[in-house]
């Protein structure tokens, strides 16, 4: 039969329409599939974070925390079931976007007014802590030929504020997601052990509650570890411990900008002039959000705006929950084979530096 439907560029109109409709349907299916993979990946990290949240409340595991539980579950899942490729879009969204949002919310934990008006003396000791932790870690890493990228993350986490600091600086220093997850997991583990050790040795130390709190606040790894170790010293001891720790959180901001400058300068030296623009490190805009949230929590909440303590506690839980979802996404990238090959020396270095830091802080009290 003769085709009377006409042609477009020599191709029958009916065939052209069929091809166009087929392409449109495939595009729609692809978008639907991508949306489902995104939702599925996000739900996957949410479920594991929820499990980790309740595990973190169990006796014994409450000292470890939900964050460490989340990373551990993700790492174990990866070793036995592999990476869930079908859910990758949602998982990557959690490990990147949710991570930055959690860091912004983390700013509410920092009361700048208290740090600047009551903690200036502690702030000077906090600066020493950070410089010593990073410097000693890198020197030992060079001497023991350990992985420098992971060692740098551990030095920053040890000196500043644990996993949150590692998560904040990872995009700046271009760390691998695997290194970020390993670093956060090691910080949670070692920090918990040190916090428990502090509570054991406290009765044998020649410290007043305030002096003990100062020691814990300027040397322990995360806010949760400081709270755990400082609680037995009573209200005054815990308050000074948290104040000292907040000073270290405050110093995360200038440290991040120093690292940003250092990385840009380092990359520019390696690139030819025409490639300098491409070598620039992406500006960590989420740190601006962290600062703004800190200012909001310090000078607006409780003054212009008053929120019930229950709501503030809920915000803190949400922040920790989002951070757990992000760390699950990172933990799924961890191969235990790689951990054995690259993390044992950094772990040893971190333990040595933590012991030395405890001794240095003891002398500074």
């Amino acid at each position: 039969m003769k085709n009377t439907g006409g042609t477009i560029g020599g191709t029958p109109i009916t065939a052209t329409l069929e091809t166009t409709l087929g392409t449109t349907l495939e595009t729609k299916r692809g978008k639907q599939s991508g949306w489902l993979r995104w939702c599925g990946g996000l739900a996957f990290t949410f479920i594991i974070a929820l499990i980790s949240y309740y595990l973190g409340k169990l006796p014994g595991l409450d000292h470890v925390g939900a964050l460490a539980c989340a990373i551990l579950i993700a790492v174990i899942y990866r070793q036995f079931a592999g990476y869930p490729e079908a859910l990758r879009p949602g998982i990557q969204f959690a490990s990147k976007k949710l991570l930055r949002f959690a860091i912004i919310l983390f700013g509410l934990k920092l009361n700048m007014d208290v740090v600047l008006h009551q903690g200036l003396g502690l702030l000077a000791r906090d600066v020493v802590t950070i410089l010593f932790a990073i410097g000693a870690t890198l020197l030992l890493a060079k001497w023991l030929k350990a992985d420098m990228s992971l060692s740098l993350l551990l030095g920053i986490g040890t000196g500043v504020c644990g996993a949150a600091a590692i998560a904040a600086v990872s995009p700046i220093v271009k760390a691998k997601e695997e290194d970020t997850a390993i670093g956060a997991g090691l910080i949670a583990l070692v920090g918990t052990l040190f916090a428990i050790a502090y509570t054991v040795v406290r009765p044998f130390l020649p410290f007043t509650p305030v002096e003990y709190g100062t020691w814990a606040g300027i040397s322990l790894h995360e806010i949760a570890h400081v709270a755990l170790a400082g609680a037995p010293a009573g209200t005054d001891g815990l308050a000074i411990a948290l104040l000292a720790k907040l000073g270290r959180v405050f110093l995360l901001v200038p440290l991040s900008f120093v690292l940003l400058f250092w990385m840009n300068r380092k990359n520019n030296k390696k690139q030819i002039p025409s490639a300098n623009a491409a070598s620039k490190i992406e500006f960590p805009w989420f740190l601006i959000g962290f600062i703004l949230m800190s200012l909001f929590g310090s000078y607006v909440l409780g003054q212009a705006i008053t929120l019930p303590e229950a709501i503030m506690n809920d915000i803190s839980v949400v922040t920790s929950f989002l951070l757990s979802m992000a760390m699950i996404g990172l933990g799924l990238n961890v191969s235990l084979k790689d951990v054995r090959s690259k993390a044992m020396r950094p772990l040893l270095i971190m333990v040595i530096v933590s012991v030395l830091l405890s001794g240095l802080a003891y002398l500074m009290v």
Side-chain angles (χ1 to χ4, degrees):
M1 292 181 63
K2 185 178 180 181
N3 186 344
T4 58
T7 63
I8 297 178
T11 303
I13 292 177
T14 53
T16 301
L17 289 173
E18 287 174 0
T19 302
T20 302
L21 288 172
T23 302
T24 302
L25 288 173
E26 287 180 5
T27 301
K28 287 183 177 180
R29 290 193 193 101
K31 289 181 178 179
Q32 290 175 349
S33 174
W35 177 251
L36 289 174
R37 294 173 67 195
W38 185 86
C39 290
L42 212 56
F44 180 83
T45 59
F46 177 85
I47 291 171
I48 296 181
L50 190 63
I51 294 171
S52 304
Y53 174 77
Y54 286 107
L55 282 176
K57 291 182 173 297
L58 296 177
L61 290 177
D62 57 344
H63 294 319
V64 177
L67 183 62
C69 291
I71 295 174
L72 182 61
I73 292 174
V75 171
I76 292 174
Y77 182 95
R78 163 67 187 272
Q79 311 317 308
F80 289 95
Y83 191 98
E85 288 292 341
L87 306 178
R88 182 177 285 275
I91 293 172
Q92 288 188 329
F93 178 86
S95 64
K96 290 182 172 63
K97 304 298 184 182
L98 288 187
L99 177 60
R100 286 158 175 73
F101 186 61
I103 295 297
I104 291 173
L105 286 180
F106 190 76
L108 284 175
K109 295 180 180 289
L110 173 61
N111 191 319
M112 287 188 174
D113 190 56
V114 173
V115 173
L116 293 176
H117 288 85
Q118 300 181 33
L120 291 180
L122 292 172
L123 202 59
R125 282 176 275 189
D126 289 335
V127 171
V128 174
T129 292
I130 293 173
L131 293 177
F132 176 82
I134 297 175
T137 301
L138 292 180
L139 284 174
L140 285 173
K142 186 175 182 180
W143 181 47
L144 296 176
K145 295 181 174 56
D147 184 274
M148 293 300 291
S149 176
L150 179 55
S151 297
L152 174 61
L153 293 180
L154 290 174
I156 293 170
T158 301
V160 186
C161 54
I166 290 175
V169 302
S170 288
I172 300 173
V173 299
K174 294 294 183 182
K176 297 178 181 178
E177 290 188 350
E178 180 185 29
D179 288 346
T180 304
I182 293 173
L186 294 181
I187 281 282
L189 173 62
V190 175
T192 300
L193 294 176
F194 268 73
I196 294 173
Y198 272 42
T199 62
V200 172
V201 302
R202 184 189 68 83
F204 307 100
L205 297 175
F207 282 157
T208 65
V210 170
E211 289 173 337
Y212 170 79
T214 302
W215 180 53
I218 63 177
S219 60
L220 284 175
H221 306 71
E222 299 194 16
I223 291 178
H225 300 148
V226 172
L228 171 61
T235 304
D236 292 341
L238 179 58
I240 197 71
L242 292 175
L243 179 59
K245 187 60 184 177
L246 285 178
R248 292 161 68 189
V249 177
F250 173 79
L251 291 170
L252 172 63
V253 176
L255 174 64
S256 297
F257 286 113
V258 169
L259 289 172
L260 180 67
F261 173 79
W262 174 64
M263 286 297 295
N264 275 324
R265 187 173 181 180
K266 178 182 176 182
N267 283 1
N268 286 342
K269 286 183 177 179
K270 292 181 179 180
Q271 301 290 333
I272 58 174
S274 61
N276 277 348
S279 69
K280 294 290 184 183
I281 305 299
E282 182 182 354
F283 186 82
W285 292 105
F286 62 92
L287 283 179
I288 301 299
F290 174 87
I291 297 171
L292 293 176
M293 194 62 72
S294 299
L295 293 172
F296 177 77
S298 303
Y299 302 109
V300 178
L301 286 181
Q303 298 181 33
I305 300 175
T306 302
L307 292 178
E309 186 176 349
I311 292 180
M312 295 302 297
N313 290 336
D314 289 341
I315 293 175
S316 179
V317 170
V318 169
T319 302
S320 299
F321 198 87
L322 291 176
L323 194 57
S324 292
M325 290 178 66
M327 288 300 168
I328 289 163
L330 297 174
L332 288 170
N333 291 306
V334 175
S335 166
L336 289 181
K337 180 180 179 181
D338 292 337
V339 170
R340 288 193 297 269
S341 64
K342 71 185 295 187
M344 296 311 295
R345 289 182 183 179
L347 173 60
L348 174 62
I349 291 168
M350 181 189 168
V351 172
I352 295 173
V353 171
S354 297
V355 171
L356 295 176
L357 183 59
S358 294
L360 177 63
Y362 184 94
L363 297 175
M364 289 194 294
V365 173

